[in-house]
């Protein structure tokens, strides 16, 4: 989102990425999904790929994350499992079920 914001496309990019993730069951953590979304909102896919392969903004994101959890007193990350045992899901990198 931060990269897309440079081009004024953050809202459009995140809306499309959310639709891909929640409606099309394409994980927002997969590079192919991110690049598809970038292309569909008119961003340069080659530049997007170079950004994803870099560590640009990494320190900013971690600093922001740390600031946020300290500000709000967050001490744990919730863990949710949706579905049922044995359910196949595209959100596992290997495509395996539990």
């Amino acid at each position: 989102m931060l990269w897309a914001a440079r081009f004024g496309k953050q809202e459009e990019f995140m809306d499309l990425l959310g639709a891909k993730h929640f409606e099309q069951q394409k994980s927002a953590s997969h590079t192919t999904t991110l690049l598809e979304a970038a292309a569909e909102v008119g961003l340069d896919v080659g530049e997007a790929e170079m950004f994803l392969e870099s560590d640009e903004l990494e320190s900013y994101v971690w600093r922001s994350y740390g600031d946020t959890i300290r500000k709000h007193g967050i001490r744990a990350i919730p863990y949710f499992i949706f579905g049922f045992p044995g359910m196949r899901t595209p959100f596992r990198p290997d495509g395996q079920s539990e």
Side-chain angles (χ1 to χ4, degrees):
M1 179 183 74
L2 295 173
W3 182 81
R6 295 176 180 174
F7 308 99
K9 299 278 190 171
Q10 68 273 19
E11 293 290 330
E12 191 177 356
F13 177 76
M14 291 305 296
D15 285 347
L16 185 58
L17 190 59
K20 286 184 173 300
H21 185 81
F22 293 108
E23 296 170 19
Q24 300 174 20
Q25 296 184 338
K26 293 183 174 184
S27 178
S29 67
H30 292 172
T31 301
T32 54
T33 306
L34 293 165
L35 294 177
E36 284 175 10
E40 290 179 37
V41 299
L43 294 168
D44 184 289
V45 175
E47 287 184 32
E49 192 167 21
M50 285 191 304
F51 173 76
L52 291 171
E53 291 173 358
S54 76
D55 62 356
E56 185 180 347
L57 296 178
E58 181 179 1
S59 62
Y60 172 82
V61 170
W62 280 113
R63 187 172 51 255
S64 175
Y65 172 77
D67 292 347
T68 300
I69 63 172
R70 281 188 294 282
K71 177 182 176 184
H72 297 287
I74 298 169
R75 305 254 191 277
I77 299 171
Y79 179 71
F80 300 97
I81 299 175
F82 298 96
F84 52 87
M87 179 178 165
R88 292 189 56 81
T89 173
F91 303 113
R92 297 187 190 286
D94 59 4
Q96 299 294 315
S97 62
E98 283 190 28

